[in-house]
Amino acid sequence: MPNYIVPQEDCAFLEAYCRDDLTGADISRERQMERRRILDHHAMAFTLGELRARHPGSMVVNANTIKMNNPGYDILVDGRIRIQVKGRCWIEMIDFAVPTLEKAKAWESDFWIAVDFAGLIDGRHGKYAGTREMAPNGRIDPYILPTAALRKMAEDGFATSKRPRIRAIKPGSQYSRRHHMPELFGFRERWDLIRGALV
């Protein structure tokens, strides 16, 4: 499969952001927006590359070129498989902010893919200085979830909280276990779920 490379300057930006976040430094709105732009760009590029390599006979389209800012999905495969893509880079967790269940358009996809870039940065800062699990491992970890499975997690979350976060806390993390759903880890690298849907 493609060996996706995130440019060194983007990795450096993400690591500096991580360091400042962990040490309590002020982070401007501009830096927050730039981080989101970087993660969204690389998550889409990584996912498009993986899907095209894994399914060379399929038509894989960036849906945002068809309809900008489509709220339900970002990628369309063979005109029928709709995929929502999210970029993530938290060393402490893999995390989803889920839309409310009443927002039907936000749940129109068939899959959600969260592309986790935290393995490319050194998270040994602040309270994690010297923590072995926060060292970079060089991996980009995609989590491929059927939207129906994520919605079930969201329904369970909304039953106990007005603003649930769907997250799995990573090894070595000191983050609160509130909303911790370890079953998320079972969806890492589950490209077979999309392959099955295309049959």
Side-chain angles (χ1 to χ4, degrees):
M1 291 302 105
N3 182 24
Y4 188 81
I5 303 296
V6 176
Q8 183 57 41
E9 59 267 27
D10 287 349
C11 288
F13 178 94
L14 294 172
E15 183 169 328
Y17 189 104
C18 171
R19 180 196 63 229
D20 290 349
D21 181 56
L22 291 173
T23 56
D26 288 336
I27 297 176
S28 68
R29 178 65 175 167
E30 289 74 19
R31 285 183 72 196
Q32 293 175 27
M33 295 297 291
E34 178 63 8
R35 178 179 181 273
R36 171 52 47 208
R37 185 197 66 78
I38 289 171
L39 291 175
D40 285 348
H41 167 75
H42 289 299
M44 278 293 289
F46 170 86
T47 304
L48 287 167
E50 286 284 335
L51 289 171
R52 287 166 177 161
R54 291 171 183 274
H55 306 284
S58 293
M59 181 177 293
V60 179
V61 177
N62 181 344
N64 294 309
T65 64
I66 303 170
K67 182 180 179 182
M68 293 300 292
N69 299 317
N70 190 307
Y73 56 95
D74 300 299
I75 294 173
L76 191 62
V77 183
D78 285 347
R80 59 191 179 90
I81 302 297
R82 301 159 299 175
I83 300 172
Q84 178 82 261
V85 179
K86 303 291 184 182
R88 293 292 183 264
C89 192
W90 299 113
I91 63 162
E92 297 177 295
M93 71 193 87
I94 181 69
D95 173 270
F96 289 92
V98 293
T100 62
L101 301 177
E102 292 76 23
K103 291 184 177 180
K105 291 288 288 183
W107 294 99
E108 284 187 346
S109 63
D110 300 292
F111 291 92
W112 283 50
I113 297 181
V115 185
D116 184 13
F117 296 97
L120 304 183
I121 67 173
D122 194 335
R124 293 172 294 183
H125 305 286
K127 62 186 175 182
Y128 295 118
T131 303
R132 176 176 53 83
E133 291 91 345
M134 301 307 175
N137 58 31
R139 288 202 321 257
I140 298 173
D141 288 325
Y143 293 79
I144 297 96
L145 291 91
T147 300
L150 184 64
R151 186 180 173 91
K152 176 62 168 62
M153 293 179 189
E155 289 171 349
D156 293 343
F158 277 112
T160 58
S161 173
K162 292 182 179 179
R163 299 182 66 184
R165 303 287 301 190
I166 308 302
R167 59 170 60 111
I169 308 302
K170 296 177 181 178
S173 174
Q174 299 176 25
Y175 204 85
S176 167
R177 258 50 184 177
R178 187 173 182 228
H179 305 310
H180 176 46
M181 295 185 175
E183 59 267 34
L184 275 178
F185 291 127
F187 291 99
R188 188 171 70 86
E189 293 279 3
R190 290 298 308 275
W191 298 105
D192 60 294
L193 295 173
I194 295 177
R195 184 171 63 250
L198 286 170
V199 173

